[in-house]
Amino acid sequence: MQKELIKGNEAVIKGALMAGCSLYFGYPITPASEIAQAAAYYFPLLGGTFVQAESEVAAINMVYGASAAGKRVMTASSGPGLSLKQEGISYCAGAELPCVIADIMRAGPGLGNIWPEQGDYNQMVKGGGHGNYRNIVLAPNSAQEMCDLTMKAFELADIYRNPCIVITDAYIGQMMEPVEFPTTRKKVPYKEWALYGDEKSKKNLVTSILMNTHLEEEHNKKLQKKYQTIAENEVLYEALNTEDADIVLVGYGIISRILLNVMEILRKQDKKVGLIRPITLFPFPSDFISQAADSVKSFLVVELSNGQMIDDVKLAVNGRKDVHFYNRMGGAVPSVDEIVDVVKKFI
Amino acid sequence: MKAAVLEKPKAFYDKFERKGKTQQETTHYCPGCGHGNLHKIITEALSEFGVDDRSIIVSPVGCSVFAYYYFDTGNIQAAHGRAPAVATGLKRSNPESIVISYQGDGDLAAIGGDEILQAANRGENMTVIFVNNAIYGMTGGQMAPTTLVGQKTTTSPYGRKIENEGYPIRMSEIIATLEAPVYVERTALVDFKTINHTKRAIRKAIKNQIDKKGFSFVEVLAPCPTGWKITPVDSQKWIQQHMMPYFPVQAFKDVSDQRESMEIEQRDYSDQEVLDVLGLSQLGEKKQVPASFIENFPTQFMKIAGFGGQGVLSAGVVMAACAMNENLEVTWIPSYGPEMRGGTANCSVILSNSRIGSPLTTNPNVLIVMNGPSLDAFEDDVQPNGLIIVNTSIVDRRVKRDDVDVLYIPLTEIASGLGLTAAANMVCLGAYLEYTKLIDYKSLFEIVPLAIKKKHLVDTNLKAIKEGVKYIRENYSR
């Protein structure tokens, strides 16, 4: 089938529908509103539900309810909205409810502005809510991946019974690119633990409260084991020219697109530059970065934040090589030339 | 007279195994607490209607957080105050399930004030049981929004003061003002009379849901001897003497008989229907293009700029879609963020034979300027040997640089000649493709009918493309 030229934000919704998602609960916020608008347009036409919730808090709790009911369900927002959703995300993680949440990052803190940033890394990747939990976090860098990784998010969420975040910046959300969509809609699996409102499922209990300390500890250990399994099996990344690289650039989202140009320009100048683009932020491609650290001389992490992902890179490198940092904040995006100059300082 | 059969309702578990290893026959509630009575009334109603298997009880945060110990139904526990939102998610997912949101006064009237109002206002087909005991029970007897004026609690040790906390909130009265709710009633748990009243109300609230009539709300004034620090018997008197005068026990709204049943159609959709709805079935098959076309295609870093309304963004979309149709890689991004300047609308479009990195064209090799400010803003950014297309109908100066190729075209005038000023952007695309010969301009004809929403304007836009081609042939033939 021919591709469709489509905005990343809309590709999320078409991908979600092809993944069998049938309910969307959300609240408007720039620059994620196209997702809600596309959901409002398409979901009712396919017998699905779109509810514009009264708040971000209500939206995530509707997601909690629909997920408990065995459906594939999603919501989307941007930084300020995600801050409000954290309680609900913690409840989903605690009750092991699968759900998909898109975060189209804007600049912060506070109201900030609507331009692209990557300052939500810590709150989404490290777990911005209370308690010992992890989200699975996927970071698309193209409209095609906005569709593909949204679909993958539903699969992973169901497999691991865990919230799965699709995180990107305002640029990837607003950009139009060709997307090839699948032609068959995924079937939603029957969930033994869900509440379908019938005789078979009425024995089920969805909760995150365990008053007995022993049981709560056991539950926590089970969750940690699950996160370990995810870390062992679900790492995704893209690596280019790392084998012979002196310096490896690390970035995700829009930054990885800019770094691709930077690498190409410097390679033409015979500079040995490589690129690692984490596609999963949790689980983080720590092992691969650790291996790369054996051969490369240094890393340059570029982020649209105060330096959040760099902590994970440093943990992987474990002090063996220099990890340089370059960033822009507040909605400013570095140009290719700007980063080329930075890289030249380190080689 | 029919004999009453006294038996445990089916919707209660025989043994409360979730409670723990001991005391599986008794509840965790304090002596004299209202929850026990209410649980029984709910289970009786569910069993009588024969809907236990379809029912899901949403437990709140509060003493009834453990309601799932007792109800032999589906059970889910919600975050503090969010039960109506959780219930919304459950009910919308499986409309045949019977969803009961069971909440206390702190949960419903304080932290969850918005969730309950909005669920009621949407007319969610659910049943809400609101247990009002004028206090936070579980956390140790703190003040609730329903705590009476003068009532002493652990966080109002000198009694609730109007000047500090305002008046107790009357939720039933508030909810009854909304249009959507079907049934709103306040009852009490004091004696046979009030308990029977509560029973009737809860039965009606559940029946309404079974009949798909919409949102029903029953507020129950319930005793909390432990929180109030008085005996169970005195608690009943306290409700009568202190709560009922402020919280009148009565129906506030009942349109159960007037409301129609709301059936929700549920069916599966075929893949073809899904593709049709998503607009994917009209995309057709991929075009065959010669490998040499792809190989030799020079990357176009385009910036298209002008006033809002000049079709700047749509020109970019059409150009990108056209190139995509020829199997090229493309990106389109509107003026966004810090690169927006000079009061112009603009978009960046990249057409390439290989993977595109940054979608931003900081240094375009094609600049299309529909107005003067755009030329001022971007002229210096154009790559040497790049191409600038100037809309001479509006831009009143020449390009200053001598290291770029320039096409001067009265785009707006040509479009006006066709009776559609807004088609200046299509005149431009026709001219661009005819001049560069990168893609056959006729390829635009495949895209424009799909891209233009106002179908009666398609023909004029196609003519505009041809006019652009003609202008180049007459003025810039190479």
Side-chain angles (χ1 to χ4, degrees):
Chain A
M1 197 165 71
Q2 180 54 283
K3 294 176 180 180
E4 182 180 16
L5 185 68
I6 187 171
K7 272 192 181 188
N9 280 346
E10 281 181 51
V12 165
I13 285 305
K14 290 193 179 181
L17 284 163
M18 294 311 288
C21 177
S22 56
L23 298 103
Y24 183 102
F25 302 100
Y27 190 84
I29 182 169
T30 308
S33 294
E34 287 98 348
I35 300 181
Q37 288 162 12
Y41 181 83
Y42 289 115
F43 274 64
L45 298 178
L46 293 168
T49 295
F50 169 86
V51 174
Q52 181 168 321
E54 60 270 29
S55 66
E56 299 279 4
V57 174
I60 189 68
N61 282 282
M62 290 173 188
V63 167
Y64 178 95
S67 175
K71 300 292 179 172
R72 283 192 167 172
V73 55
M74 77 170 291
T75 184
S77 191
S78 187
L82 266 302
S83 298
L84 287 163
K85 286 188 198 293
Q86 294 297 345
E87 178 205 40
I89 297 172
S90 172
Y91 271 75
C92 288
E96 295 193 85
L97 291 177
C99 58
V100 172
I101 302 159
D103 178 9
I104 312 301
M105 290 183 283
R106 56 187 259 175
L111 202 49
N113 65 39
I114 59 171
W115 312 127
E117 217 190 57
Q118 297 178 325
D120 293 357
Y121 185 94
N122 281 346
Q123 77 156 338
M124 301 318 295
V125 177
K126 307 293 181 180
H130 58 284
N132 313 307
Y133 76 95
R134 302 300 300 255
N135 299 314
I136 302 170
V137 185
L138 309 177
N141 81 342
S142 65
Q144 182 69 58
E145 283 192 348
M146 290 288 263
C147 167
D148 295 349
L149 293 183
T150 299
M151 293 189 69
K152 187 173 182 66
F154 282 101
E155 298 293 327
L156 291 175
D158 274 353
I159 291 169
Y160 294 105
R161 290 187 56 185
N162 206 67
C164 193
I165 315 295
V166 176
I167 195 167
T168 197
D169 47 81
Y171 267 121
I172 304 297
Q174 299 291 326
M175 182 171 59
M176 280 180 114
E177 283 187 312
V179 174
E180 186 163 8
F181 288 98
T183 51
T184 53
R185 192 180 195 188
K186 297 270 189 211
K187 297 274 175 286
V188 180
Y190 184 83
K191 297 165 183 178
E192 292 294 338
W193 48 265
L195 299 166
Y196 290 99
D198 60 15
E199 192 183 359
K200 189 180 169 195
S201 69
K202 80 165 180 174
K203 65 180 190 308
N204 291 333
L205 165 65
V206 174
T207 186
S208 61
I209 185 173
L210 289 159
M211 287 301 278
N212 178 313
T213 53
H214 169 68
L215 293 178
E216 184 66 59
E217 186 173 42
E218 286 306 307
H219 179 58
N220 265 282
K221 282 182 181 170
K222 181 185 148 203
L223 292 180
Q224 297 309 314
K225 205 174 159 198
K226 175 168 85 175
Y227 305 143
Q228 188 57 40
T229 308
I230 293 168
E232 284 162 13
N233 295 293
E234 305 300 344
V235 173
L236 290 174
Y237 59 88
E238 183 180 9
L240 297 169
N241 295 326
T242 52
E243 301 81 6
D244 68 338
D246 288 334
I247 186 166
V248 164
L249 314 176
V250 189
Y252 69 100
I254 186 66
I255 288 296
S256 66
R257 304 279 299 250
I258 297 168
L259 293 181
L260 180 69
N261 291 138
V262 171
M263 182 189 71
E264 285 168 352
I265 287 170
L266 289 166
R267 278 273 162 184
K268 277 182 195 152
Q269 298 172 16
D270 292 326
K271 311 282 189 212
K272 290 184 177 172
V273 178
L275 172 62
I276 296 176
R277 168 172 81 98
I279 297 172
T280 51
L281 301 181
F282 178 78
F284 196 71
S286 307
D287 289 349
F288 182 76
I289 290 174
S290 177
Q291 282 166 31
D294 290 339
S295 59
V296 308
K297 288 179 184 152
S298 69
F299 295 84
L300 171 67
V301 177
V302 183
E303 291 184 66
L304 299 180
S305 77
N306 59 335
Q308 302 190 10
M309 183 182 71
I310 191 173
D311 291 347
D312 284 325
V313 176
K314 282 183 172 173
L315 281 171
V317 174
N318 201 15
R320 288 176 292 154
K321 298 289 163 64
D322 286 340
V323 180
H324 308 293
F325 183 58
Y326 187 74
N327 72 326
R328 298 295 299 270
M329 292 179 287
V333 176
S335 70
V336 173
D337 294 345
E338 188 178 339
I339 301 177
V340 165
D341 290 345
V342 173
V343 178
K344 282 182 174 170
K345 275 194 259 174
F346 299 120
I347 46 176
Chain B
M1 195 177 123
K2 211 169 135 190
V5 180
L6 299 174
E7 58 178 357
K8 179 190 76 67
K10 200 168 140 271
F12 261 140
Y13 284 121
D14 292 332
K15 280 190 171 184
F16 306 139
E17 290 173 0
R18 282 181 177 146
K19 196 165 162 256
K21 287 188 180 131
T22 56
Q23 298 182 313
Q24 294 183 344
E25 278 84 22
T26 55
T27 71
H28 72 287
Y29 298 117
C30 307
C33 168
H35 283 306
N37 271 336
L38 260 179
H39 285 13
K40 183 157 180 269
I41 291 168
I42 293 168
T43 51
E44 280 173 352
L46 294 179
S47 296
E48 273 178 53
F49 290 126
V51 294
D52 345 19
D53 290 347
R54 286 161 58 192
S55 297
I56 300 171
I57 311 284
V58 186
S59 310
V61 169
C63 290
S64 49
V65 67
F66 298 119
Y68 60 78
Y69 287 171
Y70 313 114
F71 290 100
D72 189 1
T73 60
N75 281 284
I76 182 169
Q77 197 280 314
H80 200 19
R82 318 301 175 214
V86 172
T88 298
L90 288 161
K91 188 72 186 186
R92 296 294 186 110
S93 296
N94 296 311
E96 294 302 316
S97 59
I98 301 301
V99 179
I100 296 173
S101 178
Y102 188 101
Q103 300 181 261
D105 42 43
D107 192 82
L108 182 140
I111 198 166
D114 197 20
E115 279 79 2
I116 188 61
L117 275 183
Q118 303 287 343
N121 195 47
R122 285 191 303 270
E124 297 291 344
N125 185 31
M126 60 171 66
T127 306
V128 176
I129 312 293
F130 171 36
V131 186
N132 177 359
N133 56 18
I135 206 157
Y136 281 68
M138 185 178 230
T139 45
Q142 291 86 4
M143 186 183 61
T146 48
T147 292
L148 296 177
V149 173
Q151 186 184 339
K152 288 181 180 173
T153 72
T154 53
T155 51
S156 58
Y158 314 110
R160 179 176 185 150
K161 288 196 175 75
I162 297 162
E163 59 273 28
N164 202 48
E165 288 98 15
Y167 292 89
I169 194 163
R170 294 186 182 103
M171 288 306 295
S172 290
E173 284 84 337
I174 291 171
I175 287 170
T177 65
L178 301 172
E179 193 64 29
V182 181
Y183 171 55
V184 182
E185 180 144 11
R186 185 184 289 119
T187 71
L189 295 174
V190 174
D191 49 23
F192 283 125
K193 192 177 150 217
T194 52
I195 288 171
N196 274 328
H197 176 207
T198 303
K199 247 176 132 162
R200 286 194 303 276
I202 284 177
R203 279 178 57 93
K204 180 177 256 186
I206 291 172
K207 184 71 166 49
N208 279 342
Q209 185 180 173
I210 295 169
D211 293 343
K212 301 187 167 82
K213 291 198 169 173
F215 187 87
S216 295
F217 183 90
V218 180
E219 174 176 348
V220 183
L221 305 180
C224 180
T226 306
W228 298 345
K229 298 180 173 54
I230 51 178
T231 67
V233 174
D234 286 345
S235 297
Q236 290 170 341
K237 288 179 194 153
W238 198 84
I239 292 177
Q240 278 175 317
Q241 288 168 6
H242 299 283
M243 290 188 80
M244 284 164 67
Y246 188 83
F247 296 112
V249 168
Q250 65 179 82
F252 293 94
K253 183 175 184 186
D254 185 1
V255 291
S256 310
D257 293 339
Q258 287 104 287
R259 285 282 165 88
E260 296 291 319
S261 169
M262 294 178 291
E263 286 295 337
I264 296 165
E265 188 213 18
Q266 285 193 295
R267 68 174 181 91
D268 289 331
Y269 288 76
S270 69
D271 282 343
Q272 192 55 49
E273 283 177 297
V274 174
L275 294 177
D276 287 348
V277 164
L278 296 185
L280 299 175
S281 34
Q282 63 171 25
L283 294 177
E285 292 307 310
K286 248 188 176 168
K287 207 167 163 176
Q288 296 292 320
V289 294
S292 59
F293 164 78
I294 302 286
E295 273 165 35
N296 299 324
F297 192 88
T299 304
Q300 301 291 290
F301 297 99
M302 308 178 74
K303 174 86 77 183
I304 309 174
F307 293 126
Q310 283 188 307
V312 161
L313 301 184
S314 58
V317 173
V318 168
M319 196 56 245
C322 176
M324 177 188 76
N325 209 30
E326 305 298 316
N327 296 353
L328 290 164
E329 300 291 336
V330 304
T331 58
W332 171 96
I333 191 161
S335 55
Y336 191 74
E339 51 122 23
M340 195 166 67
R341 54 186 156 157
T344 64
N346 72 77
C347 62
S348 293
V349 177
I350 301 177
L351 320 176
S352 177
N353 60 4
S354 55
R355 184 176 176 186
I356 298 169
S358 172
L360 306 170
T361 51
T362 321
N363 296 110
N365 57 12
V366 179
L367 172 66
I368 295 170
V369 287
M370 302 295 285
N371 67 359
S374 298
L375 183 59
D376 297 342
F378 300 115
E379 179 178 348
D380 293 343
D381 297 340
V382 178
Q383 294 177 21
N385 303 318
L387 172 68
I388 301 181
I389 302 178
V390 180
N391 177 17
T392 55
S393 309
I394 293 179
V395 181
D396 58 5
R397 73 167 175 90
R398 310 291 281 183
V399 171
K400 290 172 189 158
R401 289 174 57 174
D402 55 10
D403 62 343
V404 292
D405 206 0
V406 186
L407 300 177
Y408 294 100
I409 312 175
L411 298 170
T412 307
E413 282 163 53
I414 295 172
S416 300
L418 298 169
L420 187 64
T421 315
N425 58 352
M426 293 299 129
V427 177
C428 183
L429 292 186
Y432 163 67
L433 288 185
E434 177 61 15
Y435 183 73
T436 60
K437 305 275 189 200
L438 287 173
I439 299 171
D440 187 344
Y441 73 87
K442 292 191 196 76
S443 299
L444 289 170
F445 296 172
E446 297 164 31
I447 301 302
V448 169
L450 296 175
I452 288 183
K453 291 198 181 100
K454 292 175 183 166
K455 296 300 167 201
H456 64 285
L457 298 179
V458 169
D459 280 350
T460 315
N461 276 283
L462 297 181
K463 278 183 197 151
I465 292 166
K466 287 182 196 157
E467 286 297 318
V469 172
K470 192 174 142 207
Y471 191 86
I472 292 297
R473 286 180 182 165
E474 288 171 1
N475 298 282
Y476 287 98
S477 58
R478 294 204 277 194

